[in-house]
Amino acid sequence: MKKFISIALAALTAVGLFGCSQDNAEDVSRISELEAQVGSLEASIAALESEKNGLDSQHSDAKAENETFAGENEQLSEVLSTAEEENETLEGRISELEALLAEADDYERIALSGGNTLLWNGDSLFMQHSDGRVEELQNKYVNSVAASPDGSKAVWTNFVAEGSDAAGSLWLYNLSLAQPKALLTYSELPANRDISYAGWLDDRYILFILMPVFGTIAVGGDALYVYDTETGAYAQVAECAYTSGLHPELTSFTVFGDSFVVLNLVMTDGNTDNPQKSHLILPIEEIHSLIQHEDSKLISAESSI
């Protein structure tokens, strides 16, 4: 454009040379005006080109930023989709657990510390946390449950007549760990024996009854054991003996503070159709002595009441 204007000015100048002398002054003035306009146009063009370059740069930055946002949005969409799937799974599981609880009207409630509660229907075991959340601890074969004296732990037995390493026989739940733990499995017990009942002697020791599962018909267990939660060791502290034609069998027990334990027994003479109920009182002090000396007490028909 500048070149064109220059040519035009040259042409006008040439024409002026052949014009009248009286027009020369006007032509010079006109040329000056045109040159001023050219300078102004060039400045405007330069400003517009600078502005265009700035806008091009902003557009390029905005395009790059948009691509970045598009990538992040895609990643967030994937994360959201995964979270929604997990949430649906959890909601489904919660619905299942709520349905199980709603179907059972006879759940025994066993209080733990911190407002937590065990729910047991004689088969399945749940933990109802203080915030209302329900957790399934065992879905079947739970035949005894007990809370520790301080309420911080729970123990339960998973008695299966045919024995099962997969499930475990003695379980512990510690509120501080919030995760069930199998203390003993079927293979770790004496041959053809499984745990039929368990409870707490104190905050450290767990008492449990072993019951034959093969080779004989029994309505109760034939030995009382103690499990040390600090060492993981277990030992026998009482054993049933067949005397006077009667065979005592352990069915359960009740711990009365730090005073004594009442063992609940049945007496049979080989015919399990008519077992006779009986009891045996063991002082807590005597049980601790048996543990300390690694000794075992003999339970007979004569020693029970």
Side-chain angles (χ1 to χ4, degrees):
M1 176 180 288
K2 184 176 180 181
K3 184 176 179 182
F4 172 79
I5 293 172
S6 298
I7 294 172
L9 288 174
L12 288 172
T13 302
V15 172
L17 292 175
F18 293 98
C20 299
S21 58
Q22 63 269 26
D23 296 329
N24 188 52
E26 294 179 2
D27 291 338
V28 171
S29 176
R30 181 59 178 163
I31 290 170
S32 296
E33 291 177 1
L34 289 174
E35 287 180 340
Q37 291 178 8
V38 169
S40 177
L41 289 172
E42 288 178 342
S44 297
I45 291 170
L48 289 173
E49 288 180 348
S50 177
E51 184 177 359
K52 178 179 180 299
N53 291 335
L55 291 173
D56 287 343
S57 177
Q58 291 179 15
H59 179 265
S60 178
D61 293 343
K63 185 177 180 181
E65 188 174 4
N66 183 64
E67 291 176 354
T68 301
F69 285 151
E72 292 178 353
N73 183 64
E74 185 176 353
Q75 293 178 356
L76 290 174
S77 297
E78 293 177 357
V79 172
L80 178 61
S81 177
T82 302
E84 289 176 344
E85 292 177 359
E86 293 177 351
N87 186 57
E88 289 179 1
T89 301
L90 290 174
E91 287 181 349
R93 187 58 181 149
I94 290 172
S95 298
E96 291 177 5
L97 294 177
E98 289 176 345
L100 286 173
L101 292 176
E103 291 174 0
D105 297 326
D106 56 345
Y107 272 83
E108 180 180 347
R109 304 179 69 86
I110 303 167
L112 295 175
S113 60
N116 300 286
T117 306
L118 292 170
L119 304 175
W120 176 49
N121 67 349
D123 188 35
S124 302
L125 180 64
F126 299 88
M127 169 72 77
Q128 186 173 36
H129 294 270
S130 57
D131 60 2
R133 178 172 53 90
V134 177
E135 175 187 4
E136 183 181 78
L137 300 181
Q138 193 95 35
N139 63 359
K140 60 181 179 179
Y141 301 137
V142 177
N143 64 314
S144 68
V145 183
S148 62
D150 66 2
S152 68
K153 299 180 289 293
V155 66
W156 70 89
T157 55
N158 182 45
F159 181 84
V160 184
E162 67 272 15
S164 173
D165 281 342
S169 294
L170 186 67
W171 286 83
L172 176 72
Y173 187 95
N174 192 325
L175 286 174
S176 64
L177 301 177
Q179 185 174 0
K181 176 184 179 182
L183 298 180
L184 291 173
T185 60
Y186 179 73
S187 62
E188 295 173 297
L189 301 173
N192 299 330
R193 295 291 189 275
D194 207 348
I195 301 175
S196 61
Y197 189 88
W200 294 87
L201 177 64
D202 50 37
D203 290 321
R204 174 177 176 176
Y205 292 106
I206 298 170
L207 293 175
F208 63 88
I209 296 172
L210 281 190
M211 180 177 180
V213 291
F214 293 111
T216 183
I217 298 176
V219 293
D222 57 3
L224 180 69
Y225 279 74
V226 63
Y227 181 94
D228 188 345
T229 59
E230 291 187 4
T231 66
Y234 74 96
Q236 180 178 289
V237 292
E239 181 181 11
C240 296
Y242 190 89
T243 60
S244 305
L246 293 175
H247 188 189
E249 297 182 18
L250 290 162
T251 57
S252 62
F253 54 81
T254 304
V255 179
F256 290 87
D258 58 358
S259 301
F260 56 88
V261 177
V262 175
L263 301 180
N264 301 313
L265 306 103
V266 292
M267 298 292 175
T268 67
D269 57 2
N271 182 1
T272 59
D273 293 334
N274 298 299
Q276 303 298 314
K277 292 183 179 180
S278 183
H279 306 280
L280 176 66
I281 296 176
L282 285 179
I284 298 291
E285 184 178 350
E286 181 181 358
I287 296 177
H288 279 290
S289 177
L290 293 169
I291 295 172
Q292 181 179 356
H293 296 94
E294 299 181 356
D295 200 1
S296 179
K297 182 180 179 66
L298 194 64
I299 300 174
S300 64
E302 291 79 8
S303 63
S304 63
I305 56 174

